[in-house]
Amino acid sequence: MRWPQRVAAMLLTTVLLAGPPTLLVRLVGWPTTDTPRVALWQWVRDPLTEQNLTLMLVVAAWLLWAFIAYLVTATTATRLWASVRWLRHLPLPTPWQATATGIASAAALTITTPTALSTVDEHAGTTVGTLETHPSDGAEQPNAADGVSVPGGWLPSQVAEQVGAAASLMWLRRRRAYRPARPDQNGPDVGELAPLPATVTAVQSAIATHDKPAPTAAAAVGILPEGFPPAGASILGPGAPAAARGLLVTVLLARLRDHTAPEVVITRDAVAALLGPAAPRLRPGPGLRIADDADHAATLAATAPIPTGEGGGGRPRSVLMLAAPPSGRLADILTAGPVTVVVVASWPHAPVWHVDADGHSTTDAGDGPAVGPRVCVLDPLATTDLLTVTGHAHPAHHSTPTQPRIPRQSGPQPAPVDPGPRLWIRVLGEPVLIFDGAPLPVRRSAALHAVVYLAVHAGGVDSQQLAEALWPGLPAHRLTARLYTTLSDLRTLLRTTTGHTIIDRTGDRYRLNPDQVDVDLWRLRRAVAHAASTLTDHGAAWQAVVNAYTGDLATGYAWPWLDPHRETARRRVLDAYAALAATEPDPRRALAWLQGGIRVDPYNATLHQHAIAVLTALGEHAAVAELSDRYTRRLATAGLDSALDAASVPDPAT
């Protein structure tokens, strides 16, 4: 509600509260001072006198006013309490809490009465008005200042940032490994474009609102919790298994970006004890070795390479995780080099860490228990979810829908009929809505988010899918009203501007009206479908795909649901570039197509290999060295393996 409406509502509230009693006192006077007994006796003797009728009307007027005053007071108290509860979540210093509460109390006096309150009734299909909110729509994202709570655990903020970096790295690895092919020959990307696990997306959502750079190898998180004994400890308490799982994830995340970090050696019985039914999903890999028993684990831990280089000094060479106290070989382990032994059981020969279910730790120091840091705690499912992005867990089985093969068509395709002025939505690049040549300002950030989501899901989505995409991690019961308010505001804006219904609603499903809207992503998909099915003029069809791609999907936004769809669009245009290069007889023009594909995805190894092969055939050895060095540096900066084997370059014509 804008300020003129607020002022009008406040004036109306004042009139309703002060007007009736003022008129009654001026016209009739204050209520009678006669005793109820005298007034009742007079009414019984002659009930229809002018005085008694006037008295009944006055009493009715006072009762009506009291009812209105009660409604206003109850509404004000409810809104005030909600404001106070909201302010309690603000990270304000304690001395400012009273001031903030006072401001909320003063603001509550301007809350409108039920008769003047602007409401949104999406279910009834009528829109009277909308409440003005902050552009972020008041979405209460999980707080990542100290840590992140996710279903199944809690992560310190630094570990959460490492999870976000690992997720980004996983998508870069997928981009590097993708092999572009002709659009009519490339099969579906089964499994490669599967969304990341739910725990990973929950962490991404929690840290998305915090402007913190992704951690680098030089700024890796601490390997062990603060105060954790370097030689190891016995972890006990209700949160002991969860803390051991958190330590496993923390060390492997650090190892992912810093090869001087210690590796983890864990026994099979410890894997079974910590992961339960999810144990078969754990797989060894860089930084993780699985031992058959304690003796085997001791051998592996003792032979692990000693950390060297910057940051390696003083680190353990390995973290040995056991589900039972070690035997006499422990002395051999410790004398062979720095090894941290973590035992999720009682072990009399080591310090004891007590961890509760929330991750709060205490240590048994010499002079009594001491409070330790809050440590990462995870349940088995959250652990395997996070280990998926480190490459140490097999992805959970999922069904990947495959797109039906489009039958080949010969001859030119009919152009779509232009129905007249329509809303143009651009989502390839920075999202924007354009009508009649001018961009439409979208006040709510969630509304723009909803437009992009509906543009990507052209067939429509239900309200639950849309709400969970817009506000992941929030309880479902808090999303319904927020979603209806956001969509009502958006639909009103679009209907007022264009004169048409832009967002259709059928039951509980929403979709963009294809008769009134055109989207650049839809045009790209049509071009891709045509290129995959046409029998003639392949070059023109692939060129149309290239022309339709104007940028990455929703450039500048990091919504967790976005990556698979963004990568799908990118891959289709890489296919077109690769096809144009493969069928081009002039090597220099083929090189130009390959360079165009590299500009779209500078991490793709296949395009670089093809370009190096063409440059080598042309005798451009200096250009080969420059391109190879630039690609190697880019991968190294991103934390990816930077080897580019020119000897294994496939034939560009295939």
Side-chain angles (χ1 to χ4, degrees):
M1 183 184 299
R2 302 188 182 278
W3 69 266
Q5 294 173 296
R6 290 181 179 275
V7 172
M10 184 173 60
L11 291 176
L12 180 58
T13 302
T14 303
V15 170
L16 288 175
L17 290 178
T22 301
L23 290 176
L24 288 172
V25 171
R26 284 184 172 274
L27 297 177
V28 183
W30 289 99
T32 178
T33 57
D34 292 340
T35 62
R37 178 179 178 183
V38 173
L40 180 62
W41 178 249
Q42 292 177 350
W43 181 81
V44 170
R45 288 180 58 188
D46 195 356
L48 298 180
T49 63
E50 180 181 356
Q51 181 180 3
N52 287 341
L53 291 175
T54 303
L55 178 61
M56 287 188 289
L57 291 175
V58 170
V59 170
W62 279 107
L63 290 176
L64 179 61
W65 173 84
F67 177 70
I68 294 175
Y70 164 76
L71 289 179
V72 173
T73 303
T75 302
T76 302
T78 301
R79 300 282 181 166
L80 176 60
W81 176 243
S83 300
V84 172
R85 290 183 61 187
W86 175 78
L87 283 171
R88 290 175 61 187
H89 294 287
L90 288 176
L92 297 176
T94 303
W96 289 94
Q97 293 286 358
T99 304
T101 306
I103 295 173
S105 302
L109 296 178
T110 64
I111 295 176
T112 57
T113 64
T115 58
L117 182 63
S118 297
T119 60
V120 178
D121 185 2
E122 270 288 327
H123 291 289
T126 58
T127 303
V128 182
T130 54
L131 299 176
E132 179 156 358
T133 62
H134 190 273
S136 63
D137 306 293
E140 299 176 14
Q141 298 295 340
N143 183 17
D146 298 320
V148 172
S149 294
V150 297
W154 182 87
L155 297 82
S157 59
Q158 286 185 314
V159 178
E161 292 165 19
Q162 285 281 357
V163 171
S168 300
L169 201 62
M170 185 173 184
W171 282 109
L172 288 180
R173 289 199 299 268
R174 292 178 174 182
R175 291 170 60 179
R176 179 191 60 180
Y178 179 65
R179 299 175 67 87
R182 286 175 48 148
D184 56 345
Q185 296 177 350
N186 214 359
D189 306 309
V190 178
E192 295 183 1
L193 296 180
L196 298 183
T199 306
V200 179
T201 58
V203 174
Q204 289 178 302
S205 301
I207 64 177
T209 57
H210 295 262
D211 299 327
K212 297 179 180 180
T216 61
V221 300
I223 306 301
L224 301 175
E226 181 182 356
F228 195 87
S234 171
I235 306 180
L236 302 176
R245 290 187 286 263
L247 182 60
L248 171 66
V249 170
T250 301
V251 176
L252 292 178
L253 284 170
R255 178 81 181 196
L256 186 65
R257 300 195 65 88
D258 184 1
H259 296 302
T260 67
E263 67 177 14
V264 175
V265 178
I266 186 170
T267 58
R268 295 192 183 279
D269 60 343
V271 172
L274 294 179
L275 299 184
R281 292 181 55 190
L282 187 69
R283 61 185 179 190
L288 175 64
R289 294 197 277 182
I290 302 177
D292 295 328
D293 51 34
D295 289 341
H296 185 205
T299 301
L300 295 178
T303 58
I306 299 177
T308 58
E310 184 179 356
R315 286 184 177 179
R317 63 166 55 177
S318 61
V319 176
L320 175 58
M321 304 191 73
L322 305 173
S327 61
R329 280 203 72 183
L330 173 63
D332 297 334
I333 298 172
L334 297 179
T335 56
V339 176
T340 298
V341 183
V342 178
V343 181
V344 193
S346 178
W347 183 23
H349 303 292
V352 176
W353 270 51
H354 292 273
V355 182
D356 65 15
D358 294 328
H360 299 285
S361 65
T362 57
T363 62
D364 287 342
D367 54 351
V371 177
R374 188 178 183 184
V375 299
C376 180
V377 285
L378 300 167
D379 69 6
L381 179 58
T383 302
T384 51
D385 278 357
L386 296 181
L387 290 179
T388 299
V389 298
T390 68
H392 297 97
H394 296 282
H397 294 290
H398 62 277
S399 58
T400 303
T402 58
Q403 297 295 331
R405 299 295 296 177
I406 303 173
R408 289 179 173 270
Q409 303 171 3
S410 59
Q413 300 302 306
V417 178
D418 187 3
R422 294 195 295 178
L423 179 67
W424 169 250
I425 299 178
R426 187 183 70 198
V427 295
L428 296 175
E430 185 177 357
V432 64
L433 282 66
I434 300 175
F435 183 74
D436 198 18
L440 296 182
V442 179
R443 181 168 55 89
R444 296 175 183 268
S445 60
L448 181 62
H449 191 170
V451 169
V452 176
Y453 193 82
L454 292 174
V456 171
H457 299 81
V461 294
D462 60 42
S463 59
Q464 180 178 356
Q465 290 176 279
L466 186 55
E468 290 176 353
L470 266 58
W471 300 286
L474 294 183
H477 67 275
R478 298 172 55 186
L479 301 181
T480 303
R482 183 175 295 170
L483 176 65
Y484 287 154
T485 301
T486 299
L487 291 181
S488 177
D489 187 41
L490 177 62
R491 296 173 73 191
T492 301
L493 168 67
L494 298 178
R495 187 185 304 114
T496 302
T497 304
T498 66
H500 300 287
T501 300
I502 301 300
I503 300 179
D504 288 337
R505 179 183 177 189
T506 304
D508 195 40
R509 291 186 64 82
Y510 295 89
R511 71 158 189 163
L512 294 176
N513 185 346
D515 295 330
Q516 305 297 337
V517 178
D518 201 1
V519 182
D520 56 357
L521 179 63
W522 298 356
R523 293 189 177 183
L524 173 65
R525 290 172 176 173
R526 291 195 293 266
V528 169
H530 177 59
S533 60
T534 186
L535 291 173
T536 60
D537 203 2
H538 297 286
W542 299 330
Q543 179 72 64
V545 174
V546 170
N547 294 342
Y549 189 83
T550 56
D552 289 343
L553 180 61
T555 300
Y557 292 88
W559 301 314
W561 62 268
L562 193 58
D563 282 320
H565 304 281
R566 177 180 285 163
E567 183 61 15
T568 298
R570 182 189 290 118
R571 288 185 177 189
R572 299 295 77 85
V573 73
L574 292 185
D575 292 343
Y577 274 113
L580 288 166
T583 57
E584 176 57 59
D586 183 351
R588 294 198 177 275
R589 294 190 62 181
L591 179 63
W593 288 121
L594 292 171
Q595 290 173 331
I598 290 174
R599 283 192 292 271
V600 171
D601 190 353
Y603 293 95
N604 187 266
T606 299
L607 293 178
H608 281 83
Q609 290 169 346
H610 287 338
I612 287 175
V614 174
L615 287 171
T616 301
L618 292 173
E620 302 284 353
H621 301 293
V624 169
E626 180 183 355
L627 178 61
S628 179
D629 290 345
R630 184 168 62 246
Y631 183 60
T632 299
R633 289 195 302 270
R634 182 182 297 276
L635 294 182
T637 301
L640 294 169
D641 295 334
S642 56
L644 183 63
D645 187 3
S648 62
V649 176
D651 185 357
T654 60

